[in-house]
Amino acid sequence: MSEGMNRFLGDTPGRVLVKLIVVSLVVGVVMSAFDWSPMDILYGIENFVRRIWNLGFGAIERFAGYFLLGAVVVIPCFILLRLLSYRR
C-alpha cells in the first residue's frame, strides 16, 4: 500500500506535502505582488474563450488555411524524398 502511494505521489507523502507547502507559499506571494486572485485567473480564461468565440473562429480558419497551404508543398516533397531514398 505504501509503495503504491509513493509511486502515485512521486515521493513520500511527507516530502510531497512539504513541496506543496513551499510552492503554495511562493505562488501566493507572487499572486499577492501582482494583486491577482483566483477569480481573476478564471475571469481571464473566460474572457479568452469568449474572445475566440466572438472572432467567429476566424483565427482557427486562418490557422487551417496556413496548414493546408503548407501541406500542399510539404507532403509532395516528403513523398518525393522518401521515394528517392527508397531506391538506395
Side-chain angles (χ1 to χ4, degrees):
M1 172 83 173
S2 177
E3 181 64 30
M5 180 68 80
N6 289 352
R7 194 172 342 137
F8 174 73
L9 293 175
D11 208 348
T12 62
R15 292 180 79 171
V16 171
L17 182 63
V18 170
K19 290 176 187 178
L20 288 175
I21 289 171
V22 170
V23 171
S24 295
L25 181 64
V26 170
V27 169
V29 168
V30 170
M31 287 181 68
S32 178
F34 286 110
D35 197 28
W36 290 344
S37 72
M39 291 307 293
D40 292 333
I41 295 171
L42 291 177
Y43 290 145
I45 293 170
E46 178 189 5
N47 287 337
F48 174 74
V49 171
R50 186 170 293 164
R51 277 202 237 138
I52 294 294
W53 184 268
N54 288 338
L55 283 174
F57 297 101
I60 296 171
E61 185 178 339
R62 257 183 285 148
F63 172 78
Y66 293 147
F67 173 75
L68 291 175
L69 184 63
V72 167
V73 174
V74 170
I75 300 299
C77 289
F78 173 76
I79 292 171
L80 182 64
L81 289 172
R82 293 302 293 169
L83 288 174
L84 291 175
S85 69
Y86 180 72
R87 290 186 175 185
R88 290 183 186 185

